Amino acid sequence: MMTRRQFLARSALCGTAAWLTLGTPGKILAASAKGKTLGIQLYMVLKAYQDDPNGTLKTLKSIGYTEIEAIITSTAKTLRDQLNEAGLRCPSMHFDSLGFDAGVEAAHVLGTQYIVSSMLPSIMQKELAAQGKSAPEPTYSLDEAKRTAEYANRLGEKAKQAGLQYAYHNHHLEFTDVGGGQTFYDVLLKETDHKLVQFELDCGWVHAGGKNPADYFKANPGRIPLMHAKDFLPGGAKDYPGAELGRGTLDYKPIMAAADTSGLKHCFVEQEGPFSRMSQLDAARVDYAYLRPLR
């Protein structure tokens, strides 16, 4: 199974068809009373969803998840109807494999507030190739960070005009040093308009990039309304094998405390494969059981 990052890179570069990704009653009611929802990136359970869409969504609901973050497959209307039947909300979606304009249309069908780029440097590379221009692999340099920030501002303006909020999702390469004591990600935060561009902090990839997710929440209140709760097995393997939350290298207690103080609105569990220790849905159960008490 390819990692989600590999999937997104292939999708962004090749324009492939889009894909999807999305306790106990007492705990669910308590969480609802606090207003702190817990969601899941549906890509995490992609195989289960493909095998049994309605059953998978209903299982996620029964575990305790109340929200999903989507990557569209089939049609947005189909997904909307499935989510309505399962009693799940969709406040955020990734648009990479649809394209931005089609993503806006899908977001309106789903009733989504946030439209998110999974790998914006790769989207930019794809656009250059489509224009017949040289399209080298992203280098995550200072100049590229500035160009990416400018492009993100343009997307943010388009999203605003469509009644949506654009957000930037990171991987580990955004934490490459670009000189002057700053990273590629620091440049994005500095050179994007706070009202037009917000961020979805993928905490697992932040950690893989050598940084502390909690530090970014503390330093940027109000800029990071979305997050991915992710972990990896220890050892630094190049393919970044995913770990169930609480069984990898990250302690989410200080991260969640910092996120909530910073103004986090939506938290989505997203575990990378391979799912060799247990099924995708069983992993979703483990992840929920670990994270719910911290949320």
Side-chain angles (χ1 to χ4, degrees), residues 144-259:
E144 192 171 273
K146 291 177 178 292
R147 290 194 299 272
T148 303
E150 181 182 1
Y151 187 69
N153 281 329
R154 294 203 301 270
L155 290 182
E157 181 60 43
K158 290 177 68 176
K160 180 181 178 181
Q161 292 173 0
L164 302 171
Q165 174 65 60
Y166 166 71
Y168 183 107
H169 168 274
N170 64 277
H171 287 81
H172 64 298
L173 290 174
E174 278 88 349
F175 301 94
T176 300
D177 188 286
V178 296
Q182 60 184 350
T183 67
F184 186 99
Y185 198 77
D186 295 331
V187 176
L188 295 182
L189 285 163
K190 180 181 178 181
E191 300 206 6
T192 50
D193 187 315
H194 290 208
K195 294 180 180 179
L196 300 179
V197 179
Q198 296 188 335
F199 290 82
E200 178 173 63
L201 197 71
D202 189 306
C203 297
W205 285 122
V206 175
H207 183 66
K211 301 297 182 181
N212 184 345
D215 291 342
Y216 278 93
F217 282 116
K218 292 174 183 177
N220 299 283
R223 291 286 325 257
I224 310 174
L226 311 171
M227 70 169 275
H228 279 182
K230 176 182 294 174
D231 208 346
F232 296 104
L233 294 175
K238 65 178 181 178
D239 291 330
Y240 297 100
E244 294 77 41
L245 298 179
R247 301 181 181 183
T249 58
L250 273 172
D251 177 4
Y252 268 91
K253 185 174 182 179
I255 295 172
M256 294 310 305

Side-chain angles (χ1 to χ4, degrees), residues 39-191:
I40 186 168
Q41 231 291 349
L42 206 54
Y43 177 83
M44 176 181 163
V45 291
L46 177 60
K47 184 179 185 303
Y49 174 82
Q50 290 174 320
D51 292 342
D52 181 8
N54 291 324
T56 295
L57 294 176
K58 289 177 181 178
T59 296
L60 293 174
K61 176 69 173 181
S62 71
I63 291 170
Y65 294 103
T66 57
E67 298 180 338
I68 68 102
E69 184 176 52
I71 297 176
I72 300 299
T73 186
S74 62
T75 69
K77 182 181 182 301
T78 297
L79 174 57
R80 181 194 65 194
D81 293 345
Q82 292 169 343
L83 292 175
N84 286 341
E85 183 177 344
L88 292 165
R89 298 184 296 274
C90 182
S92 176
M93 63 165 285
H94 287 204
F95 69 83
D96 297 54
S97 49
L98 282 178
F100 186 81
D101 292 338
V104 167
E105 293 181 12
H108 287 155
V109 171
L110 290 167
T112 293
Q113 178 184 1
Y114 294 92
I115 184 165
V116 185
S117 61
S118 302
M119 295 178 68
L120 192 57
S122 292
I123 293 174
M124 295 170 64
Q125 180 191 17
K126 176 189 173 185
E127 287 196 357
L128 286 174
Q131 296 167 9
K133 299 178 181 179
S134 175
E137 288 288 330
T139 61
Y140 292 88
S141 65
L142 176 59
D143 286 344
E144 192 171 273
K146 291 177 178 292
R147 290 194 299 272
T148 303
E150 181 182 1
Y151 187 69
N153 281 329
R154 294 203 301 270
L155 290 182
E157 181 60 43
K158 290 177 68 176
K160 180 181 178 181
Q161 292 173 0
L164 302 171
Q165 174 65 60
Y166 166 71
Y168 183 107
H169 168 274
N170 64 277
H171 287 81
H172 64 298
L173 290 174
E174 278 88 349
F175 301 94
T176 300
D177 188 286
V178 296
Q182 60 184 350
T183 67
F184 186 99
Y185 198 77
D186 295 331
V187 176
L188 295 182
L189 285 163
K190 180 181 178 181
E191 300 206 6

Side-chain angles (χ1 to χ4, degrees), residues 3-5 43 205 230 232 240 242-243 270-275:
T3 66
R4 181 167 179 270
R5 185 172 184 274
Y43 177 83
W205 285 122
K230 176 182 294 174
F232 296 104
Y240 297 100
E270 188 197 32
Q271 183 176 327
E272 299 283 353
F275 291 92

Side-chain angles (χ1 to χ4, degrees), residues 21-47:
T21 133
L22 195 201
T24 64
K27 287 185 178 180
I28 295 172
L29 290 174
S32 177
K34 293 179 181 179
K36 294 183 178 180
T37 60
L38 186 57
I40 186 168
Q41 231 291 349
L42 206 54
Y43 177 83
M44 176 181 163
V45 291
L46 177 60
K47 184 179 185 303

Side-chain angles (χ1 to χ4, degrees), residues 249-268:
T249 58
L250 273 172
D251 177 4
Y252 268 91
K253 185 174 182 179
I255 295 172
M256 294 310 305
D260 285 337
T261 300
S262 176
L264 181 73
K265 290 181 169 54
H266 302 281
C267 175
F268 302 106

